Every structure is written in structure tokens, then in C-alpha cells.
Amino acid sequence: MSAEYYMQRCLTLGEQGKGHTAPNPMVGAVLVHNDRIIGEGWHHYYGADHAEVNCLKNVKEEDKHLIPDSTMYVNLEPCAHQGITPPCANRLAKEGIKNVVIANKDPFEQVSGRGIEILKQAGISVTTGILEAEAAWVNRRFFCFHSQKQPYIILKWAQTQDGFIAPADRSRSQITGATSNQLVHKWRTEEAAIMVGTTTATNDNPQLTARLWEGNHPLRIVLDRSLTIPATHHIYDDTAATWIVNEQKEALEGNIHFAKHVFDGTLLPWLMRRLYETKKLSLIVEGGAALLNSFITHGLWDEARIFTGTSTIINGIPAPMLQNETEAFEKTIEQDHLKAFINKNNLFSYPLGMEL
């Protein structure tokens, strides 16, 4: 089998940790001896053993003597620092593994080449750049966070056949079907935070949770300049941690954090910095139109996911218009149509055939 084959297996393994490893990356590892996989592993959740350690643990007793003469494939440079777990580069050096094949160098400043150097100093042959673009796409949230010092931003909305995001009276309208709605809840488990504006929070009274899919709820962020959203709305329940961004007060009340900042052109950049400081790798923005357009105007987006349903409204609120976008892929979900775009200024090109 080729190096690309084994690296693709690493990516498949690593993605099993999606929604559970942040702020760490998704990593898979495969140990190969004479074209036979003798061990596999991935990083299951934040704070647990890393992929390389789990891979070594997976090797059967009768194969352990083969480890020094094997090749470790891993989609991200082995860590070189002491965190919750010991450095993986040191562990591989201790095991005396013959070769290590890596997709991406780690952008985290405490690693960033140091892991590779540890391996080389131990006499291990190191190869890099195998499925580099594909691996960077899988960990685009992690890469964006460390290279841009802000979360990876995903815009999501649903629009009608005639290009409206909601009726003119801003009443709640279900544009997409049940399967698309469930997919959105799956996406929520994969992102660190979710955000809506005042009108959406007030009129739709959304829960902003992942109740239709098993996984973690994202941090809920709601803009409410004058604190007008009724206290009986879902955002004030205890389901998930919530930030209410406003101009009135800075306070922590149970699970609700009132974050104070002036509502001017500095608001969104300030909020992105605050998310970075609290190690939130990603943000999905779900509306409404004014908030989505504000992110687009500021150039604060990396990816957009747009559903088009089968209904029409005739008179409604126009859907946002992207700027500097390039289409990544499209697919049909029952009666709905999904298109995904990436920002042309994004660091990551979309590798054909990859999933979101």
C-alpha cells in the first residue's frame, strides 16, 4: 500500500474525534510493518492519550517486537511539549521507531517543528507533506486558530427558491426538511460556539443546542444590545453556557455570561479576540440576515453552508450575498440543496472529495 493510503486511514481515524478533541486537533495514527497495519489509534477527546500513544497501545503483544522496525503514519507532527499528556515525539523516540511519516507540521508555537527535530535527533527518518492539503482541511479550525489568532468562522443559512431567508414580517418559517435540520444539529456538535442576532433570538426563540444529535452543545452567543430579549426565552435556560453580548453590563449569573462592549465597528473583531482568548476554535453563525451580512462585510468568514429549500415566499428578507467566495461542493439532501463555499482569502483550499 502507498503512503497516501495509510495517511488517508489516519485522517479517517482522526475524524472520529470530531467535536471532542478541541482545543486540540483531530489526529489519527497508523503503525505499519512490511505493509501490514499492526496498530491504529486516534485522539478520542481532549485530555486523553494522543493518537500515537493509542496506536502503540493497540499493537498486539505478539507484534510488539516489530515496533522498532515499523513506520508510524500520523497526520500531524507529534507534539514536543508537556501538556496534560507527555510529549509524543519523545515517546516515539523511546520506542525506537524506524520511520515517521507526517502530513502537516504543527502550527502550535510550542511544537512547530520541535517534534520533528526530536525525531530526527533520535535517528528516526522523517517524511512530511503526505496528503498535506487534505490533512490541513480536516484540521482547518485548529490551523486557523493558531495562524490567524481567531476562531474558524462558518456562516450557515437556509433560503427559499426565490432567495429569501425569512418572511417580511420576520415570523419563523421552516425552509428546509427534517434531515437537513438534523444535519445542522450534527454540525453544532462539531463547533465550539454558535451565534445569532437579537431579532433571530427574539422572534424565533431558538434553543441553539444539538438536541437532535448526540454530542456536545456549543457555547451560545447572542447579541442583545439593550437586553430586550425576554428572560423566559430558551437562551436563558441552563442547557448550555451562554454569552449575552450587550452594552449594559458585564456579569456572570449562573450559566449566563453578560459580555459588555459598545455596538460599533469594533464589536465583531473584539468578540473574535475574546473567543480566541477562551480557546474557542470555531464559530458557526446561524443568523439572521443582518448579522450574517455584518460578518461578510467585515470579511470575517472562512466557510459558508447554504441550504436552498423548495418553498417560495414572494415577499421576504433577502438572503445574504457572499463576497470573495469560491464554491467547494454541492449535494442534495432529500428535497433540499446544500452548497458549501470557502472564502478566497482562506488559508485552506478545498481538496475535492473531502467532507465538511
Side-chain angles (χ1 to χ4, degrees):
M1 296 293 183
S2 66
E4 288 76 13
Y5 172 86
Y6 295 121
M7 191 60 71
Q8 183 58 57
R9 179 60 183 162
C10 290
L11 297 179
T12 300
L13 289 167
E15 286 198 288
Q16 293 187 65
K18 183 178 285 187
H20 301 285
T21 63
N24 284 351
M26 292 177 281
V27 182
V30 175
L31 191 63
V32 180
H33 181 267
N34 288 344
D35 278 339
R36 179 170 71 91
I37 294 176
I38 63 172
E40 293 186 333
W42 71 93
H43 184 35
H44 290 229
Y45 58 88
Y46 178 71
D49 287 335
H50 289 186
E52 299 92 327
V53 173
N54 284 329
C55 180
L56 291 168
K57 286 182 176 180
N58 182 246
V59 178
K60 294 179 180 179
E61 194 62 38
E62 60 266 30
D63 287 334
K64 288 190 181 298
H65 70 284
L66 301 175
I67 292 176
D69 196 38
S70 298
T71 298
M72 172 76 79
Y73 292 85
V74 60
N75 59 285
L76 191 68
E77 176 184 1
C79 63
H81 66 294
Q82 176 69 51
I84 296 177
T85 59
C88 291
N90 289 351
R91 174 64 185 275
L92 297 185
K94 182 179 178 180
E95 293 286 346
I97 290 176
K98 188 176 182 179
N99 306 294
V100 174
V101 179
I102 300 166
N104 297 136
K105 180 180 174 181
D106 194 328
F108 182 40
E109 59 187 10
Q110 292 189 40
V111 183
S112 193
R114 293 180 179 88
I116 293 173
E117 187 59 31
I118 289 172
L119 298 178
K120 289 182 175 179
Q121 287 181 358
I124 298 172
S125 173
V126 179
T127 302
T128 60
I130 304 299
L131 294 189
E132 187 173 17
E134 290 82 355
W137 177 258
V138 166
N139 274 316
R140 59 196 184 278
R141 299 162 182 83
F142 180 77
F143 274 71
C144 177
F145 182 82
H146 286 287
S147 60
Q148 301 298 301
K149 309 301 182 187
Q150 69 178 33
Y152 185 85
I153 302 168
I154 300 169
L155 308 182
K156 171 264 164 187
W157 70 83
Q159 60 189 29
T160 61
Q161 284 285 325
D162 46 354
F164 295 108
I165 198 171
D169 62 2
R170 301 182 184 274
S171 60
R172 185 164 188 170
S173 176
Q174 188 64 45
I175 294 174
T176 54
T179 301
S180 295
N181 193 32
Q182 187 179 49
L183 176 59
V184 170
H185 283 241
K186 176 179 181 291
W187 289 345
R188 290 176 180 178
T189 69
E190 298 169 356
E191 310 309 334
I194 183 172
M195 185 177 181
V196 297
T198 310
T199 302
T200 299
T202 301
N203 293 354
D204 293 356
N205 189 17
Q207 296 182 53
L208 303 180
T209 62
R211 61 197 178 279
L212 300 182
W213 196 268
E214 184 178 353
N216 297 321
H217 297 316
L219 167 70
R220 302 183 297 191
I221 303 174
V222 178
L223 296 184
D224 189 9
R225 184 174 191 168
S226 302
L227 296 178
T228 58
I229 299 172
T232 54
H233 273 33
H234 291 306
I235 62 165
Y236 283 105
D237 63 27
D238 290 326
T239 306
T242 305
W243 289 2
I244 307 295
V245 182
N246 69 97
E247 284 189 338
Q248 307 299 313
K249 66 177 182 178
E250 179 81 31
L252 183 61
E253 299 178 6
N255 218 17
I256 307 297
H257 183 183
F258 292 92
K260 183 179 179 181
H261 193 274
V262 62
F263 275 47
D264 61 11
T266 68
L267 177 62
L268 291 184
W270 167 83
L271 183 56
M272 296 309 104
R273 287 195 302 273
R274 195 149 182 173
L275 286 170
Y276 173 76
E277 291 165 359
T278 52
K279 297 184 178 181
K280 302 300 180 185
L281 265 62
S282 61
L283 169 69
I284 185 166
V285 184
E286 292 200 7
L291 181 61
L292 289 163
N293 279 318
S294 184
F295 272 89
I296 293 169
T297 299
H298 279 79
L300 284 172
W301 71 279
D302 297 287
E303 185 177 323
R305 304 172 183 179
I306 305 171
F307 289 98
T308 301
T310 58
S311 63
T312 57
I313 289 180
I314 308 302
N315 181 27
I317 299 170
M321 297 291 291
L322 293 173
Q323 300 172 11
N324 297 316
E325 79 279 8
T326 182
E327 185 175 331
F329 78 94
E330 57 183 313
K331 66 187 297 186
T332 299
I333 303 173
E334 293 185 342
Q335 300 301 310
D336 303 324
H337 193 70
L338 170 64
K339 274 191 175 183
F341 300 85
I342 59 174
N343 193 324
K344 288 180 181 178
N345 296 324
N346 197 327
L347 295 174
F348 316 102
S349 59
Y350 170 73
L352 291 175
M354 297 295 290
E355 292 294 324
L356 292 176

